[in-house]
């Protein structure tokens, strides 16, 4: 990928140095039309080829997440290009390696800008809801994950008291999205194309997901339907598991350095390894895209449900069930809250990476379960969450 080449909105092909020749309106359309064109613009920007106006437009706060995705994909693709050129002793290897380093630097800068924005957003939320609001709500949500059977029993009681059907609480964001679609909060018709994908067996569906990942210039639109998000996530995970050994990748989330012995393989075998690594990068790009879409759907469901009387009743029932859980298991609740307060920095949970947050949740869930089995004389209590914020507590699970 030393010199990406893409179609402009008018059908011509562009190389890195040509992107700067686009006028502002065409450039805006260019990066929003196709993902591979956004990748070209991101690489051109990392290489210092864009005009200042294009650079600022590309790095607008609203575009930072897509830009991060494009740079992540470009970093993997360029790494594989360097590996392929090294195998063939290509004279362009050093130049492509320099471009790879520039792309990685741009990726780090973009990730820092996103982290800064998340911290600022956390501060804005804290200013409106009190400095401990996020921690308390997350503690309440994680407590239900620590004691799911106990919570489900209490929730069934509060739902019955509210005159609502006893639908299981959303266990994860996928449940939130699927329930939101069923409740009419997501405008996504169940078309014949969606039905065909839903009807596919696991292997055939995984094949469709693989075909979608291979074509970075296009999308199988129906895969983005709310009812297919669970199967899409599962298929992407399966493709990753199947491809990592062939690609000689270091883990399920990082290519790592290409093992030296690959450079001694016959060309056909080396080509297969490099092709698998390139496919793995494409699958990971789709995984990031899937996660971002899932969060968008969940946010839409949350926003749409705020004005629903039925949802308001359900949220009060959820909140009452958590209050009862806290009252019945005070030591587990105290362990969860104090653990969160002790282990989060001044920026709160927004200052944690996804990996750190997952690790912390796993640890505190285990501690809360231990405290529930063997009560301990802890004095910190877990405050009840305001009913309007119960939604956030449930989503935090």
């Amino acid at each position: 990928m030393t010199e990406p080449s893409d179609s402009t909105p008018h059908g011509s092909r562009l190389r890195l140095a040509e992107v700067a020749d686009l006028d502002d309106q065409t450039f805006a359309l260019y990066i929003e039309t196709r993902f591979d064109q956004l990748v070209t613009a991101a690489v051109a920007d990392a290489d210092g080829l864009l005009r200042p106006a294009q650079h600022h437009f590309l790095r607008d706060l609203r575009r930072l997440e897509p830009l991060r995705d494009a740079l992540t994909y470009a970093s993997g693709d360029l790494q594989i290009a360097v590996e392929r050129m090294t195998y063939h002793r290509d004279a362009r290897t050093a130049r492509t390696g320099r471009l790879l380093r520039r792309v990685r630097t741009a990726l780090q800068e973009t990730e820092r800008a996103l982290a800064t924005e998340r911290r600022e957003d956390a501060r804005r939320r804290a200013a409106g809801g009190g400095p401990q609001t996020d921690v308390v709500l997350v503690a309440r949500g994680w407590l239900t994950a620590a004691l799911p059977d106990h919570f489900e029993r209490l929730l069934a009681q509060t739902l019955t008291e509210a005159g609502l059907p006893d639908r299981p609480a959303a266990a994860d964001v996928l449940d939130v999205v699927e329930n939101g679609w069923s409740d009419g909060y997501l405008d996504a018709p169940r078309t014949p194309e969606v039905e065909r994908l839903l009807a596919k067996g696991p292997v055939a569906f995984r094949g469709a997901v693989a075909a979608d990942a291979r074509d970075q210039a296009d999308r199988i639109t129906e895969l983005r339907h709310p009812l297919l998000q669970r199967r899409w996530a599962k298929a992407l995970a399966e493709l990753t598991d199947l491809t990592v050994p062939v690609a000689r990748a270091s883990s399920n989330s990082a290519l790592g350095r290409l093992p030296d012995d690959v450079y001694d393989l016959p060309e056909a075998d080396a080509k297969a390894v490099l092709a698998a690594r390139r496919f793995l990068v494409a699958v990971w790009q789709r995984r990031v895209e899937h996660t971002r879409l899932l969060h968008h759907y969940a946010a839409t469901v949350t926003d749409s449900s705020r004005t629903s009387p039925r949802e308001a009743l359900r949220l009060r029932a959820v909140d009452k069930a958590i209050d009862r859980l806290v009252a019945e298991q005070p030591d587990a609740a105290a362990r969860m809250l104090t653990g969160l307060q002790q282990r989060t920095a001044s920026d709160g949970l927004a200052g944690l990476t996804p990996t750190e947050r997952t690790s912390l949740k796993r640890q505190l869930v285990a501690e809360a379960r231990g405290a529930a089995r063997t009560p301990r004389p802890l004095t910190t209590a877990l405050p009840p969450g305001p009913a309007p914020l119960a939604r956030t507590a449930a989503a935090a699970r």
Side-chain angles (χ1 to χ4, degrees):
M1 184 183 151
T2 57
E3 196 72 359
S5 171
D6 301 278
S7 298
T8 67
H10 304 295
S12 59
R13 307 287 289 184
L14 291 185
R15 299 174 72 83
L16 288 179
E18 297 171 332
V19 179
D21 295 333
L22 298 175
D23 61 63
D24 292 347
Q25 183 176 359
T26 305
F27 177 77
L29 184 59
Y30 178 76
I31 65 172
E32 292 169 359
T33 301
R34 290 183 357 194
F35 180 76
D36 58 335
Q37 295 178 172
L38 174 60
V39 171
T40 299
V43 174
D45 184 52
D47 204 21
L49 299 175
L50 295 189
R51 293 183 285 105
Q54 293 173 321
H55 170 80
H56 293 304
F57 185 82
L58 189 65
R59 299 188 64 83
D60 184 274
L61 281 179
R62 296 168 298 172
R63 299 182 184 87
L64 282 181
E65 285 194 346
L67 177 61
R68 188 264 318 275
D69 297 350
L71 288 167
T72 300
Y73 177 80
S75 176
D77 207 31
L78 281 166
Q79 178 179 336
I80 297 159
V82 170
E83 293 166 352
R84 184 180 65 250
M85 291 175 182
T86 301
Y87 179 87
H88 290 291
R89 296 180 174 83
D90 193 308
R92 298 171 297 170
T93 303
R95 184 179 68 185
T96 305
R98 287 192 295 272
L99 182 57
L100 172 59
R101 289 191 291 274
R102 291 168 185 165
V103 165
R104 285 175 172 169
T105 297
L107 176 58
Q108 291 170 356
E109 293 171 351
T110 303
E111 288 175 337
R112 283 196 295 269
L114 279 168
T116 299
E117 177 58 22
R118 284 194 296 270
R119 287 192 293 270
E120 290 299 322
D121 184 59
R123 291 191 185 98
R124 287 191 291 269
R125 292 199 310 272
Q132 295 299 323
T133 299
D134 284 344
V135 172
V136 169
L137 289 174
V138 171
R140 287 166 64 82
W142 287 6
L143 181 64
T144 67
L147 305 171
D149 293 340
H150 196 160
F151 173 68
E152 291 299 336
R153 175 176 58 80
L154 294 172
L155 181 60
Q157 294 173 4
T158 58
L159 287 172
T160 299
E161 292 167 4
L164 296 171
D166 181 12
R167 183 170 71 185
D172 53 30
V173 68
L174 290 163
D175 281 350
V176 171
V177 171
E178 290 168 357
N179 292 344
W181 184 86
S182 298
D183 292 339
Y185 296 137
L186 295 172
D187 183 18
R190 193 162 169 164
T191 63
E193 291 79 7
V194 171
E195 294 288 356
R196 279 193 285 272
L197 281 172
L198 287 168
K200 284 183 181 293
V203 175
F205 185 83
R206 192 169 63 223
V209 172
D212 177 78
R214 287 191 183 96
D215 190 355
Q216 286 294 313
D218 204 357
R219 300 289 187 276
I220 297 176
T221 306
E222 292 73 30
L223 273 178
R224 280 74 185 164
H225 192 279
L227 294 183
L228 285 164
Q229 296 310 294
R230 191 179 300 274
R231 294 194 72 187
W232 193 19
K234 185 173 185 291
L236 288 170
E238 290 172 348
L239 287 170
T240 297
D241 290 340
L242 291 169
T243 311
V244 161
V246 183
R248 309 286 290 275
S250 61
S251 72
N252 278 28
S253 58
L255 280 176
R257 185 173 179 271
L258 183 67
D260 291 337
D261 60 350
V262 174
Y263 293 105
D264 298 325
L265 292 175
E267 183 172 356
D269 294 339
K271 185 176 180 180
V273 173
L274 293 170
R277 288 169 77 81
R278 195 169 195 275
F279 176 66
L280 191 57
V281 169
V283 169
W284 287 340
Q285 186 282 320
R286 287 299 198 259
R287 189 171 64 186
V288 170
E289 183 179 329
H290 163 262
T291 300
R292 190 149 45 87
L293 179 62
L294 201 61
H295 291 166
H296 167 72
Y297 280 151
T300 301
V301 170
T302 298
D303 290 342
S304 300
S305 64
R306 284 194 178 117
T307 57
S308 166
R310 179 178 176 277
E311 185 67 9
L313 283 175
R314 191 189 71 80
L315 292 175
R316 283 196 288 272
V318 171
D319 204 50
K320 184 182 291 187
I322 298 176
D323 287 344
R324 290 179 181 178
L325 180 63
V326 171
E328 292 182 15
Q329 292 288 351
D331 293 330
R335 176 65 66 184
M336 183 65 73
L337 180 61
T338 56
L340 270 167
Q341 289 173 331
Q342 291 166 1
R343 292 171 174 85
T344 53
S346 59
D347 289 328
L349 290 168
L352 300 177
T353 67
T355 301
E356 290 170 340
R357 182 184 173 108
T358 299
S359 176
L360 178 59
K361 180 180 180 181
R362 187 182 301 115
Q363 178 184 350
L364 294 182
V365 161
E367 290 181 6
R369 285 173 180 164
R373 288 194 297 268
T374 307
R376 302 172 186 176
L378 299 176
T379 58
T380 305
L382 184 59
L389 298 177
R391 178 188 302 104
T392 307
R397 298 173 60 216

